[in-house]
Structure formats: C-alpha cells, structure tokens
Amino acid sequence: MIKPILEPQKPTQQRKVYSVTELALNVRRQLENEIGQIWITGEISNLATPRSGHWYFTLKDSDAQLRCAMFKNRNRGVRFTPEDGQQVLMRAKLSLYEPRGDLQLIGEYMEPAGEGALQIAFDRLKQKLNNEGLFDPELKRPIPTLPSKIGIITSATGAAIRDVLTVLKRRMPQVPVIIYPSQVQGEKAAKTIIEQLKIANQRNECDVLLVTRGGGSLEDMWCFNDEQLAREIRNSKIPVVSAVGHEVDTSISDLVADLRAPTPSAAAEILVPNRVDIIHTFQALERRLTNEFQHKLQIQQAKLDKLVAKIVHPKQRLAQSEADLNRLIKQLKVAQKRYLEQKGFNLNNAKSRLQSYKPEKHLEQSQQRLDAWQKQLKQAIKQRLGQSQQAFALTAQKLNDISPLATLDRGYTITRDENGKALRSAKDAKKAGKLITRFIDGDVESKPE
C-alpha cells in the first residue's frame, strides 16, 4: 500500500508546501520502496532500441498501458528478440520518470508470455520423476560403440534428420539406419513419438534409438516434456539417445534417456565412430601384430638353430671318437715313456751312488732297494698297462656302439651309389646308375628300376 503523501492539515498547524520536484521524488521513492519488484504481462508496442543498447517500449493490454525501460545491463540476458505486438512476461520495478511525471516500469527480466507457466510445469514434472528415480545414473544403459543398426524417431522431413544422416554417412556409411517417422511438434507429437518407440521395441531390429528434433521455442519442443513419453523412454528395452533442440535446451526426454546429446549432429557423432579413425586403429594393430609375430618367429628360429647345432651325424661322432681314442693312446705312450725314463734315471742314479759307496753293506742294501724298485716298476707298468687296456676296451666298445657296422649287425643296411655316396631317399636311388648295398658280411650290387 502507498502511504498518503499529503495529510489534512489542522487549522492550528503550519502548511507543508512541496515543490514539483520534491513531490515527484517523494512519490518515486515510495513506489520503489513500498511496491518493489513485480511480475507483469502485456503486449509490447512502440519498441525503440537506440545505439545506447537500452530498450524503451510500452506494455499494454486492452484497457491500460505503461511506459517501460529495460537497460543494457539487463536486456543482455534476454534469450529472444522482442517485437511489437508480442506478449511477454516481465519482472520489473515500478518507478516514476520525474522529468515527465510518468509512471514507468524498469525491466529486469523478460520472457515470452506462456514460457513462465511452461517452465513451472517443467520443473514440477522434473522434480516428480527425479523423486521416483527415473533419472538415476545407475539405470542408464551403455550405448553400443559400433551399432549394427540405428533407429531414428523424428520428423522424416525436418532439418534434424538431414543433419543426422549427413554425419552418419560421412563417419560410417556402412551402418544401416531405420527412420520411424513421427511428429515432433504439436498436441499429437508426444503420442506419435510414444507409438514409434513401442513399434521399435516390438520389432527389436536396432541396437540403439535416437529421439531428436531441431531447435525451437519452449512451446515448440514441449512434446518432449511429456510424462508418458518419459516413462516410455525409461521402459524401452533398446538404449535411447535424446538430442532435442540446441545445446542450451534441456527436456525431460534428455534427462530420462540413457544418453543426452547437445544437438542432433552431435548425437550422430556419438552414435558411430569415424571410419577413418577405425582404419587407422586397425592399421596400427596390424603393424603391432606383425612386429610381434616376427619377434616370436625370430626367437623360435634361434631356438631351432641351437637344436640343429646340437645334432651330430653318426659319421662325425665316429670320427670324433676315433680321434679321442688316438689322442688317449698317444698320451698313454708318452706317459709310459716318461715313466720308464724317470725310473731308468733313478736306477742309474742309484747305481752311481752305489758305486761311490763301495762297501759291501751299502752294495747289498742298494741291491735290495734296486730289486724293490724293479718290482715296483714292474707292478706299476703292469697296473698302468691294465688301466690303459681297460680304457682302450671301453673306448672301443663306445666306438663300436655308434659304428655303422653295429647298425648293420642288427639287420640294417647302407645303400650307396657308384660314387660311394650314401642314399637317403627312393628319389635319390632312382637317379643313381648303380646301387651298392652294404650288409654285415659284404656288399651286394644292384640297379634301380
């Protein structure tokens, strides 16, 4: 309530006289302090937008009008461009323009009329569904990385479907697309979207569904804030991606879907990977696999080479054993010679010492020692010869075990050509002019067929 500015003066009181400016200032202060901010709706007329960036216009209805101003620092936040004849909802402060004595509204926020009620309805439904847990992240199903088939629920003639198909064709043209045509604006839009969702789930021919449309006003996109549609999306057996309007727009469908995309084109980018990136990935994997295979092959080849190096041909082993035997015999003869020379030297030395002594006793003792040494020498020679013979016999037995002759003795034969080359296959035998087969007791000559 506005307090009275002038009160009746009692005859005994002095009169209070206001100037026009003082009165206007007093009225403005009381209007701003007592009434403060208000919400008002009306039709814009006489809109002026000078270079200063401020807006000046009249807000009217069928019976009254008020002058309005919305300064630059406030109208920057308005998300639409106002026009004459447009119905708006505005939050403003009631004030007085003192130079003309006109009441005026100083606008702080403005939106098209009707959006305020829709926003309230949106917030209430959002809170309701959130309390029921329909937006719970744990209910969100994963979107397939590379779907085998994509279903799109949208207008078959709208800009959104063209944008989506263009991106899909550019990124992954091999993925087939099924369009479930639906209205995306108007009273029947939500119902047709629900019907197409049910059809898509009944057919079960897609890995993922995209519910989408292009940008527009809140009223245009209101069908995507339908409660029944939200529940149908949540109950869908097929994962659902929602891309309604532009990035700044948010619908109930976006919140309840398994994934929200900011725009229809962005949804297409999310649904399929870029085939060029996949090709590069496969090429990198192919190079890595080839390198790993070559590395493994090199390791196995090295192991095979080591095993081959350990395989010794029987002829080579026989030659090696024969060489070892000859070396041992030579070492034995050298050792025997050295031993006899050493003992002979010792004997001669003893004889010399014996002769130098001359006394019979020493001669007798020396003779006894000589006899003992001779006996030891004979025993040592006999023992050494026995050991050498035993080693020789053992080596000969080993040599005989690996000898081809031993193999012949067991019933096997060795076949050579006329040049004495051992034949390993029937193919080699057919090429030879003459075959010589070695048995244990002799050779038999024959000709190949």
Side-chain angles (χ1 to χ4, degrees), residues 99-268:
R100 288 198 302 265
D102 293 338
L103 281 175
Q104 72 173 0
L105 294 169
I106 308 299
E108 295 186 348
Y109 171 79
M110 183 189 297
E111 64 184 30
E115 287 197 4
L118 292 178
Q119 186 64 43
I120 293 173
F122 174 86
D123 293 337
R124 287 178 179 175
L125 180 58
K126 177 181 176 182
Q127 185 63 40
K128 176 183 177 181
L129 297 181
N130 185 54
N131 292 339
E132 293 182 20
L134 266 68
F135 305 152
D136 193 342
E138 294 182 357
L139 298 178
K140 307 291 185 183
R141 292 159 295 191
I143 306 301
T145 304
L146 183 58
S148 60
K149 191 175 294 184
I150 299 172
I152 304 177
I153 302 176
T154 189
S155 171
T157 59
I161 189 62
R162 293 195 299 271
D163 293 343
V164 171
L165 293 178
T166 299
V167 175
L168 292 178
K169 184 177 180 180
R170 170 173 53 84
R171 290 175 64 85
M172 191 63 68
Q174 298 87 348
V175 178
V177 175
I178 298 178
I179 300 175
Y180 299 92
S182 170
Q183 296 182 27
V184 291
Q185 182 174 338
E187 295 181 359
K188 298 181 180 181
K191 182 179 179 181
T192 59
I193 296 173
I194 293 172
E195 290 175 354
Q196 295 299 341
L197 266 172
K198 291 180 178 180
I199 291 173
N201 277 270
Q202 289 172 358
R203 294 180 180 177
N204 196 26
E205 55 193 350
C206 302
D207 295 334
V208 64
L209 293 174
L210 172 61
V211 178
T212 186
R213 66 151 286 161
S217 66
L218 184 59
E219 291 92 340
D220 294 340
M221 298 184 292
W222 188 249
C223 61
F224 292 94
N225 295 317
D226 183 80
E227 180 177 355
Q228 186 58 38
L229 174 59
R231 298 187 185 278
E232 196 66 34
I233 291 175
R234 185 66 276 159
N235 294 331
S236 172
K237 297 178 181 179
I238 305 172
V240 177
V241 176
S242 177
V244 179
H246 301 299
E247 187 170 357
V248 296
D249 301 316
T250 302
S251 65
I252 296 296
S253 297
D254 291 335
L255 299 174
V256 77
D258 298 293
L259 180 67
R260 176 195 179 245
T263 63
S265 298

Side-chain angles (χ1 to χ4, degrees), residues 2 6 15 42 57 98 131 169 173 213 288-289 302 309 318 341 344 368 380 384 432-433 437:
I2 301 177
L6 300 177
R15 293 181 178 178
F57 54 94
E98 299 169 30
N131 292 339
K169 184 177 180 180
R213 66 151 286 161
R288 181 178 176 184
L289 182 61
L318 182 61
E341 289 176 351
Q368 292 175 354
R384 184 68 175 180
T437 303

Side-chain angles (χ1 to χ4, degrees), residues 291-303:
N291 294 336
E292 288 291 333
F293 176 76
Q294 291 178 347
H295 179 67
K296 295 289 185 183
L297 186 60
Q298 291 174 355
I299 293 176
Q300 297 302 323
Q301 185 63 47
K303 291 182 179 179

Side-chain angles (χ1 to χ4, degrees), residues 329-369:
I329 293 174
K330 185 177 180 179
Q331 290 178 355
L332 178 61
K333 289 180 178 181
V334 172
Q336 184 179 11
K337 182 179 179 181
R338 288 180 179 177
Y339 184 78
L340 290 175
E341 289 176 351
Q342 181 64 38
K343 292 303 181 181
F345 175 78
N346 292 340
L347 179 60
N348 293 331
N349 190 29
K351 285 182 179 181
S352 298
R353 288 166 58 190
L354 180 61
Q355 290 175 359
S356 64
Y357 284 135
K358 291 184 180 180
E360 295 295 327
K361 185 176 181 180
H362 288 175
L363 181 59
E364 183 178 356
Q365 291 177 351
S366 297
Q367 184 64 45
Q368 292 175 354
R369 287 198 297 273

